[in-house]
Amino acid sequence: ERQDWILCLHAAAGYLFSGCRDGTICQWDMERNVVMRMFPRADQHEAGVTCFLSRADLLLSGSADGTVRLWDKSSGELINVLEGTTGVTCLLPTSWGTTFGGQARGC
């Protein structure tokens, strides 16, 4: 049973993704209210997960560790890591396909 604090939630296609203070991500089946999978610990964020965004088959997770990780939603496999310098606070999609990320250092 999870004992860590959940910092953010994201609902997508019948599932709920939770981002925790310890950097883990869980995928929940909302109909059965059970954890389906924890994303691989070896690939998890080094600090709390602060935001999510989903695009097609991808789940993007932003973290206080300054990274955005791209995951395959169906398998939970890590696809890529984008590195920044300070904590990621939000992810915003645009109508033209670009995604912007906000960081804790401000404007």
Side-chain angles (χ1 to χ4, degrees), residues 3 11 20 24 26 30 36 38-39 44 63 65 78 93-94 98:
Q3 296 293 320
C20 297
T24 59
C26 294
M30 292 196 308
M36 292 181 47
M38 282 184 62
F39 284 36
Q44 74 183 24
S63 171
D65 67 8
L78 180 65
T94 65
T98 302

Side-chain angles (χ1 to χ4, degrees), residues 18-87:
S18 59
C20 297
R21 184 178 60 181
D22 68 355
T24 59
I25 297 172
C26 294
Q27 182 178 4
W28 299 74
D29 182 319
M30 292 196 308
E31 189 173 301
R32 296 182 308 159
N33 195 30
V34 294
V35 174
M36 292 181 47
R37 120 178 4 110
M38 282 184 62
F39 284 36
R41 278 203 163 307
D43 296 328
Q44 74 183 24
H45 288 282
E46 295 176 15
V49 179
T50 55
C51 54
F52 289 111
L53 178 67
S54 50
R55 305 285 279 182
D57 296 341
L58 295 178
L59 178 73
L60 287 73
S61 59
S63 171
D65 67 8
T67 65
V68 172
R69 294 178 189 260
L70 286 69
W71 307 89
D72 181 295
K73 269 196 277 193
S74 60
S75 69
E77 179 182 342
L78 180 65
I79 297 171
N80 199 1
V81 178
L82 308 173
E83 296 188 22
T85 56
T86 60

